[in-house]
Amino acid sequence: MAKKFERLYSFEVPKLRDGENTEQYEVDSSFFHEFENSVLSEGKLDVVATIVKYQRHLDVTFQFNGHVVLNCDRCLEPYDEALDFSQRVVYAYDEDLEFDTDEVVLIDENNPYLYVGKDLYDFLVLQVPLRKVPSPEVHTCPESVLKMLGLVESEEEEVSEVEEEEEIDPRWAALKKLKQKE
């Protein structure tokens, strides 16, 4: 990974003042290309990091808002998946500190830069649904694909169902009449 990229997605801890600080990051296709074998390749998100600096740790809340481009599992066509979520991480200098969260990352207090690019990427990948089938408002698969998958009935299938009803065994016809009376 290039040093320029790492600096772009880092913040200088010594320059942060005690209390609340804010950093903003833009995540786009160039961001995803920095990670080898990335699950995501396209998208545009704005990330606002609210950093509360304490003496021995940093409490950071990342707010993500935007979209990523995924491929539909049915037809493999790309579609936009909207993302709007937040993630909290505590970056601590002291491993003995106790926090009310599982998201604690130990950092070296001698390093003036805290690189958060990998954390941003991991949070985004965790938001990708396992089954990528969007709602019809977002993306509609071609009708030929839906027919092939049996999700839409074709006219031929409807005609064959009518023919099957006409060819019912006479022994079962009496039972069918009883069922229809109920």
Side-chain angles (χ1 to χ4, degrees):
M1 224 170 273
K3 288 282 186 194
K4 183 179 178 182
F5 177 80
E6 286 185 12
R7 288 280 168 100
L8 186 62
Y9 293 98
S10 299
F11 47 85
E12 287 187 70
V13 177
K15 288 188 176 182
L16 297 174
R17 64 184 188 283
D18 287 342
E20 190 171 304
N21 301 271
T22 303
E23 294 281 335
Q24 294 188 359
Y25 303 101
E26 187 174 294
V27 174
D28 57 11
S29 300
S30 63
F31 174 83
F32 297 123
H33 294 297
E34 289 292 326
F35 297 94
E36 191 174 322
N37 301 322
S38 177
V39 173
L40 301 168
S41 62
E42 293 181 52
K44 182 160 177 46
L45 295 111
D46 294 318
V47 182
V48 176
T50 305
I51 308 155
V52 181
K53 183 179 179 185
Y54 297 96
Q55 190 169 5
R56 300 297 303 153
H57 70 279
L58 304 170
D59 194 341
V60 183
T61 302
F62 296 102
Q63 179 63 45
F64 295 81
N65 189 355
H67 74 278
V68 292
V69 178
L70 302 175
N71 290 330
C72 177
D73 283 344
R74 284 191 212 144
C75 64
L76 302 178
E77 293 290 323
Y79 72 94
D80 289 345
E81 177 79 22
L83 296 177
D84 187 11
F85 68 98
S86 63
Q87 187 70 41
R88 177 179 174 224
V89 180
V90 175
Y91 296 100
Y93 298 116
D94 189 0
E95 63 185 62
D96 295 332
L97 294 175
E98 292 186 24
F99 297 98
D100 63 343
T101 180
D102 293 337
E103 299 93 7
V104 177
V105 178
L106 293 176
I107 57 174
D108 180 14
E109 63 185 306
N110 296 325
N111 189 354
Y113 289 97
L114 178 58
Y115 171 65
V116 295
K118 179 69 170 126
D119 293 335
L120 297 177
Y121 176 76
D122 290 342
F123 297 145
L124 287 168
V125 169
L126 288 173
Q127 291 298 312
V128 173
L130 291 176
R131 186 168 182 257
K132 296 177 229 51
V133 179
S135 65
E137 297 86 37
V138 175
H139 168 74
T140 304
C141 296
E143 192 171 332
S144 60
V145 173
L146 296 175
K147 283 181 183 177
M148 186 175 15
L149 294 173
L151 299 172
V152 174
E153 290 188 20
S154 65
E155 294 174 13
E156 297 169 2
E157 291 175 5
E158 292 174 11
V159 170
S160 65
E161 288 178 12
V162 171
E163 290 174 2
E164 286 179 17
E165 286 183 16
E166 292 175 2
E167 298 175 10
I168 294 179
D169 188 334
R171 295 173 287 185
W172 296 106
L175 290 175
K176 188 168 185 173
K177 288 178 185 175
L178 288 173
K179 185 177 178 183
Q180 290 174 350
K181 288 181 183 179
E182 295 176 356

